[in-house]
Amino acid sequence: MCLAIPMKVLEVKGEEGDFLNPPLAVVEASGLKKEVRLDIVDRFPSEGDFLIVHAGFAIHTLSEAEAKESLKALEEMAKGV
Amino acid sequence: MFEIDSGFKDKELSRALLRGIEKEFKSPVRFMEVCGTHTMSIFRYGIRGLLPEGLFLVSGPGCPVCVTSQGDIDLIIELSKEPEIIISTFGDLLRVPGSRGSLMDERARGSQVNVVYSPSESLEICKKTPEKEVVFIAIGFETTVPTVAATILEARAKGIKNFSILCLHKTMPEALRTLLEDEELGVNGLLAPGHVSAIIGARPYRMLSREFNMPIVIAGFEPADILQGILLLLRQLNDGRADVQNGYKRAVPEEGNLRALSLIKEVFEPCESTWRGLGKIEGSGLRLKEEYGEFDAMKRFGLSPNPSREPKACLCGEIIKAKATPLECPLFKRACTPLSPVGPCMVSSEGTCSAFYKYGLL
């Protein structure tokens, strides 16, 4: 049920806290493009950020730099073994 | 295009982590992957087969459909028979057998059952069919709960009157506590769920880890994430430590997702919940708060909980607690197959029996 791949934000539509017209992001991953809701995301994203998506809602925003940093930490750990 | 997670699938990285695991592995251990999506990843990438002999991974109670009690499954199926009701549900519930038939069987008999990818799609069904009552079957853990909370807030803001939910949500920390209290569990470390943790953060595990002297590592879903989780658990054991480590920092902040947590708190409150296999656990469920009672399908349709009778000979309840593997179940691959399942663990793509069936018997 959890989708592991973070999806890249191409466009953000709408405003935070608007329940009548909940904010959306157009996202893409592996050639799949879709709209996801932003009502429950921890940090409101900007274009170029990545979103972790669950059941049509973004649950977490991360920047490309954050993802690279966590990969680097893991690579360092693997080197140390 | 840059695929952000492809680095975590890298073979060299995984090989290096496996070498680390081999080096740290000293004596037989059992680690539990709590989350159903971890179970899927572990089987898909053949991780069980790569680990040293004596290092066992067992699946936990992290498949939402699998831990839903038989009584609740029966209640859902009964509800779908009402002509004025349209059921809106995630797809993996469709084929879960109740005491008599499944939602899929009822749909074949004329019940209206709509599969949705997101709870919010239920509101579109409400708009299209104003003469009907739309009931979303709210099954899921902390990752799903805020998506349902947001849908309820949207329904209220838009004045949608023909929407309600059958609230069967469950929360993970209390179930883990019940598991860990069982002295026969025989588990030496937990791989904590990735996306439940993205919502609840690392903190709820800290108390469990201390209280039960249990190493816990939060892990992501890519092969390197899972291998890293196993390596960190082994290191904790070798150092004689029992801590909570976050191996999935790109998704899990220490304090969790505060916005999602506040939406959960706005709409829901803790209650007792009945889990398949684990029974009744105080504070392990969520119900709608009084002020959102209008969205409660139990109240709206005057429903009462069904007693739970799990199917005879089905070991799903034991498999959820890691007390049995599918291979010990007399029904597995005989009376119970993906085409004709007896228990939920064979139906859901996150179920242990389904993974054993699909990927072989590692």
Coordinates of all heavy atoms in Angstrom, one line a residue, chain B residues 8-9 41 62 111 121 137 151 170 189 250 282 301 304 316 318 333 339 355:
Chain B
F8 N 19.4 3.8 -4.0 CA 19.2 2.9 -2.9 C 18.9 1.5 -3.5 O 18.7 0.5 -2.7 CB 18.0 3.4 -2.1 CG 18.3 4.6 -1.3 CD1 18.0 5.9 -1.9 CD2 18.9 4.6 -0.1 CE1 18.3 7.1 -1.3 CE2 19.2 5.8 0.5 CZ 18.9 7.0 0.0
K9 N 18.9 1.4 -4.8 CA 18.7 0.0 -5.4 C 20.1 -0.5 -5.9 O 20.1 -1.6 -6.5 CB 17.8 0.1 -6.6 CG 16.3 0.4 -6.3 CD 15.4 0.1 -7.5 CE 14.0 0.1 -7.2 NZ 13.4 1.5 -7.1
S41 N 8.7 -6.0 -0.2 CA 10.1 -5.6 -0.8 C 11.1 -6.7 -0.5 O 11.9 -7.1 -1.4 CB 10.6 -4.4 -0.1 OG 10.1 -3.2 -0.7
G62 N 1.6 -5.9 10.1 CA 1.6 -4.6 9.4 C 0.8 -4.6 8.1 O 1.0 -3.7 7.2
S111 N -24.6 -5.7 -5.4 CA -24.2 -4.6 -4.4 C -23.3 -3.6 -5.2 O -22.6 -4.0 -6.1 CB -23.4 -5.2 -3.2 OG -24.3 -5.9 -2.4
E121 N -11.6 10.2 -3.3 CA -12.5 9.9 -4.5 C -13.9 9.6 -4.0 O -14.8 9.7 -4.9 CB -11.9 8.7 -5.2 CG -10.6 9.0 -5.9 CD -9.9 7.7 -6.4 OE1 -10.6 6.8 -6.8 OE2 -8.6 7.7 -6.3
I137 N -14.8 2.5 3.6 CA -14.3 1.6 4.6 C -12.9 2.0 5.0 O -12.0 1.8 4.3 CB -14.3 0.1 4.0 CG1 -15.7 -0.2 3.3 CG2 -13.9 -0.9 5.1 CD1 -16.9 -0.2 4.2
T151 N -10.3 14.0 4.2 CA -11.5 13.8 3.4 C -12.7 14.2 4.2 O -13.6 14.8 3.7 CB -11.5 12.3 3.0 OG1 -10.4 12.0 2.2 CG2 -12.8 12.0 2.1
K170 N -6.5 1.4 12.8 CA -5.7 0.9 13.9 C -4.4 1.6 14.0 O -3.9 2.2 13.0 CB -5.4 -0.6 13.7 CG -6.7 -1.4 13.8 CD -6.4 -2.9 13.5 CE -7.6 -3.8 14.0 NZ -8.9 -3.4 13.6
G189 N 14.9 -8.1 17.3 CA 14.9 -6.7 16.9 C 13.8 -6.4 15.9 O 13.2 -7.4 15.3
R250 N 15.3 10.3 5.1 CA 14.8 11.1 4.0 C 13.2 11.1 4.0 O 12.6 11.9 3.2 CB 15.3 10.6 2.6 CG 14.9 9.2 2.2 CD 15.6 8.8 1.0 NE 15.2 7.5 0.4 CZ 15.5 6.3 0.9 NH1 16.2 6.2 1.9 NH2 15.0 5.2 0.3
E282 N -6.6 -2.3 24.1 CA -7.0 -0.9 24.5 C -6.2 0.1 23.8 O -5.0 0.0 23.7 CB -6.8 -0.9 26.0 CG -7.4 0.4 26.7 CD -8.9 0.6 26.3 OE1 -9.7 -0.3 26.4 OE2 -9.2 1.7 25.9
F301 N -26.2 4.2 10.4 CA -27.0 3.1 10.0 C -27.4 2.1 11.2 O -27.8 1.0 11.0 CB -26.3 2.3 8.9 CG -26.0 3.2 7.7 CD1 -24.7 3.6 7.5 CD2 -27.0 3.7 6.9 CE1 -24.4 4.5 6.4 CE2 -26.7 4.6 5.9 CZ -25.4 5.0 5.6
S304 N -24.0 -2.5 14.9 CA -23.3 -2.8 16.1 C -22.2 -3.9 15.7 O -22.4 -4.6 14.7 CB -24.2 -3.4 17.2 OG -25.1 -4.3 16.6
C316 N -4.0 -17.4 9.8 CA -3.6 -16.0 9.6 C -3.3 -15.3 11.0 O -2.4 -14.6 11.1 CB -4.8 -15.2 8.9 SG -4.7 -15.4 7.1
E318 N -2.2 -16.5 13.7 CA -0.8 -16.9 14.2 C 0.3 -16.3 13.3 O 1.3 -15.9 13.8 CB -0.7 -18.4 14.3 CG -1.7 -19.1 15.2 CD -1.5 -18.6 16.6 OE1 -0.4 -18.8 17.2 OE2 -2.5 -18.0 17.2
K333 N -1.8 -23.3 0.0 CA -1.6 -23.9 -1.3 C -2.5 -25.1 -1.6 O -2.4 -25.7 -2.6 CB -0.1 -24.3 -1.5 CG 0.7 -23.1 -2.0 CD 2.1 -23.6 -2.3 CE 2.4 -23.6 -3.7 NZ 3.8 -24.0 -4.0
L339 N -6.4 -17.5 -5.8 CA -7.7 -17.5 -6.6 C -8.8 -17.8 -5.7 O -10.0 -17.4 -5.9 CB -7.6 -18.6 -7.7 CG -7.0 -18.1 -9.0 CD1 -7.0 -19.2 -10.0 CD2 -7.9 -16.9 -9.6
A355 N 2.8 -13.4 -0.3 CA 4.2 -13.2 -0.6 C 4.8 -14.6 -0.7 O 5.6 -14.9 -1.7 CB 4.9 -12.4 0.4

